[in-house]
Amino acid sequence: MRFSGFRVLKEGLTGNKGWTPHWRDPDPKPEYDVVIIGGGGHGLSTAYYLAKEHGLTNIAVLEKGYIGGGNVGRNTTIVRANYFLDGNSEFYSHSLKLWEGLEQDLNYNVMHSQRGLINLFHSDGQRDAFARRGNAMINQGDDAVLLDRAGVEKILPYLDFDNGRFPIYGGLYHPRGGTARHDAVAWGYARGADQRGVDLLQNCEVTGIDIEGGVVNGVQTTRGAIRARKVAMVVAGRSSQVAAMAGMRVPVESHVLQAFVTEGLKPVIDHVISFGMGHFYISQSDKGGLVFGGDIDMYASYAARGNLPIVEHVMEAGMTLMPMIGKAKVLRSWGGIMDMTPDGSPVIDKTHIDGLYLNCGWNYGGFKAVPASGNCFAHLIAQDRYHPEATGFQLDRFRTGYGVIDEEGTGAQHNLH
Ligand SMILES: Cc1cc2nc3c(=O)[nH]c(=O)nc-3n(C[C@H](O)[C@H](O)[C@H](O)COP(=O)(O)OP(=O)(O)OC[C@H]3O[C@@H](n4cnc5c(N)ncnc54)[C@H](O)[C@@H]3O)c2cc1C
């Protein structure tokens, strides 16, 4: 089933009877070439690119819940390529290019909207840091414009520019940044993978990883044992638990991150705005809700919901930046489990066990990475060689201390990234 304007019109006129399910609901086969643990954005995109670019179709994605129920369906949907350090910057640049062709590639409307992202600065020092970051982005081939206060005022007139503590000096504008509809991304990749023969097995929790003589040969699941030549762990916030099934201790701490959405409002915020001093970011969804978030809850947890101090902090930051937000009513809030690494950058690597691969450490920025992560991880799994845009994400950097990609400059503390 292909989507097109003609198809929508035809179905609309004929009672919408021709739509079919987006993916099959198969039973597990006893054996696959590749088993991917985790049906989030990264697991699904890995399966999709394995099938599309490497011709591997005897693949299963094992998801303990339902497709899109993890972080991929819980984020604030910001997509950007404004990273500074080598290792990150070429990877996120690669990802943004994939985003720009994603809807055509998947034949699926993921509502990718390049409405522009503005990171505000509030001191001369911050302006210098953003000027440097902007130059790095331009050198990488991406786009960045340094706006002074008048430049920001022109596009975002409703901000409080003269706040006593955080007066707005200007902003770094990234016009190609924006948002995408998060669960549509999961559904689009799921559908694309399924169409190429990948089995998506929901309600299939992996409970053990079978290893013999240093070689992986399958997994134990709640739907029975499944043999596999290669196994990929792509479970975001559950990475430590799943890696422990293979006897591995990974440098990941799981922390809660919350997000909030207001009632639907008329269009008011037509960019993504990020307020570094208060750690607050906001955009408006196509349904009209203001979607916003802030920092993680700052304690390790596997609960997919947070606590009130951060709720208060995020609301305060919002009111500080744009007092008008106080009139909006918050409809819902929720949390997701973040896989935080000591340098704030991810892992896309093989492990010391033959045939076992690891993709994790997305901190709270892994949604924008979904296309490149799957693309580069599929390359690694299929060819046992690193993709040229993802050579910096090796696990060993945390053991040796060489090659850490500390984008935030906050050192080796998980909850500070
Ligand atoms: C509130 C919030 C806001 C965010 N905002 C942004 C943002 O604006 N921009 C951005 O780029 N990123 C953002 N992120 C981060 C981003 O959502 C994540 O980094 C990314 O989605 C993680 O990768 P994933 O999609 O594969 O994870 P998930 O969707 O969590 O996928 C992992 C899957 O593994 C499954 N699983 C776990 N254990 C097992 C098992 N034993 N067996 C089988 N399956 C298992 C889980 O059920 C889950 O579905 C945000 C996250 C949150 C929570």
Side-chain angles (χ1 to χ4, degrees), residues 4 7 26 52 124 200 296 317 353 361:
S4 65
R7 185 73 195 259
K52 183 184 168 223
D124 290 335
L200 306 177
I296 52 176
I353 296 158

Side-chain angles (χ1 to χ4, degrees), residues 36-44 62-80 83 92 201 204-207 234-239 241-242 245 255-260 281 292-293 334-339 359 361-370:
I36 294 169
I37 311 174
H42 295 251
L44 293 165
L62 313 187
E63 167 52 49
K64 76 170 178 176
Y66 60 94
I67 297 293
N71 293 338
V72 70
R74 291 167 178 266
N75 57 70
T76 41
T77 77
I78 302 170
V79 172
R80 56 187 165 90
Y83 282 71
Y92 288 100
L201 306 174
C204 184
E205 179 171 356
V206 171
T207 52
V234 202
V235 289
R238 300 280 174 180
S239 295
Q241 292 173 324
V242 171
M245 295 176 196
H255 288 258
V256 189
L257 177 67
Q258 305 189 55
F260 309 85
Y281 36 89
F292 56 94
W334 62 91
I337 312 165
M338 307 289 76
D339 35 335
N359 176 313
W362 294 102
N363 296 269
Y364 40 76
F367 177 61
K368 70 181 95 67
V370 162

Side-chain angles (χ1 to χ4, degrees), residues 221-357:
T221 82
T222 47
R223 294 177 71 178
I226 300 177
R227 291 192 302 280
R229 284 197 303 116
K230 295 188 172 184
V231 173
M233 301 180 282
V234 202
V235 289
R238 300 280 174 180
S239 295
S240 309
Q241 292 173 324
V242 171
M245 295 176 196
M248 289 176 64
R249 195 161 168 253
V250 289
V252 169
E253 273 186 15
S254 293
H255 288 258
V256 189
L257 177 67
Q258 305 189 55
F260 309 85
V261 66
T262 69
E263 61 194 327
L265 302 170
K266 285 186 179 167
V268 53
I269 297 178
D270 50 3
H271 294 80
V272 181
I273 307 167
S274 170
F275 171 37
M277 297 307 277
H279 207 152
F280 174 83
Y281 36 89
I282 187 164
S283 65
Q284 187 165 15
S285 80
D286 292 347
K287 277 198 290 186
L290 304 182
V291 180
F292 56 94
D295 231 322
I296 52 176
D297 270 43
M298 299 288 175
Y299 52 86
S301 170
Y302 287 112
R305 63 171 188 203
N307 261 315
L308 289 174
I310 283 289
V311 177
E312 191 179 354
H313 171 83
V314 172
M315 302 299 157
E316 259 176 24
M319 289 289 287
T320 306
L321 180 66
M322 45 178 84
M324 68 165 186
I325 202 178
K327 291 188 182 161
K329 294 188 180 63
V330 172
L331 269 194
R332 284 184 293 123
S333 73
W334 62 91
I337 312 165
M338 307 289 76
D339 35 335
M340 308 296 291
T341 56
D343 67 355
S345 293
V347 172
I348 300 181
D349 208 351
K350 313 171 205 182
T351 70
H352 66 289
I353 296 158
D354 215 14
L356 185 65
Y357 299 80

Side-chain angles (χ1 to χ4, degrees), residues 39-61:
H42 295 251
L44 293 165
S45 64
T46 302
Y48 174 77
Y49 291 113
L50 273 171
K52 183 184 168 223
E53 296 190 354
H54 304 280
L56 287 168
T57 52
N58 187 25
I59 301 173
V61 177

